[in-house]
Amino acid sequence: MPVVLRVDGLKFFFYSNEGNPLEPVHVHVRRAGCEAKIWLQPEIQIARNEGFDAKALKKILELVQQHQEALKEAWYEYFA
């Protein structure tokens, strides 16, 4: 489970086994028992949310937008 970013207590990571075939580019975000899955393309959007409230999701989406290129680069480096 490579962690690619930590911000404000949020951990952004990939699961090592994302299925066969590989799922589209995305990142998982976890904090305090909550977890979300965010698609990075074709556009940033929430794929799944377990426990984050609307305010936290808004912050997560803002952070993903800010770090989108680095997150995608980390995905392609890891899964290439």
Side-chain angles (χ1 to χ4, degrees):
M1 178 172 73
V3 176
V4 293
L5 180 67
R6 291 178 193 267
V7 179
D8 296 335
L10 295 162
K11 180 168 58 171
F12 295 76
F13 64 96
F14 311 124
Y15 283 108
S16 296
N17 178 4
E18 290 288 349
N20 187 13
L22 191 63
E23 291 187 334
V25 180
H26 65 277
V27 67
H28 296 267
V29 184
R30 184 181 293 160
R31 179 178 64 195
C34 300
E35 186 173 327
K37 178 178 179 178
I38 311 295
W39 298 121
L40 298 177
Q41 53 186 48
E43 63 186 46
I44 295 172
Q45 62 182 346
I46 300 166
R48 178 177 46 82
N49 174 40
E50 296 176 8
F52 285 112
D53 62 20
K55 182 177 178 182
L57 286 173
K58 181 179 179 192
K59 177 67 174 176
I60 288 167
L61 292 174
E62 288 171 358
L63 288 167
V64 169
Q65 180 69 43
Q66 290 172 10
H67 299 279
Q68 181 179 16
E69 291 307 313
L71 293 169
K72 288 194 311 191
E73 183 177 309
W75 170 276
Y76 287 118
E77 282 181 20
Y78 188 80
F79 290 107

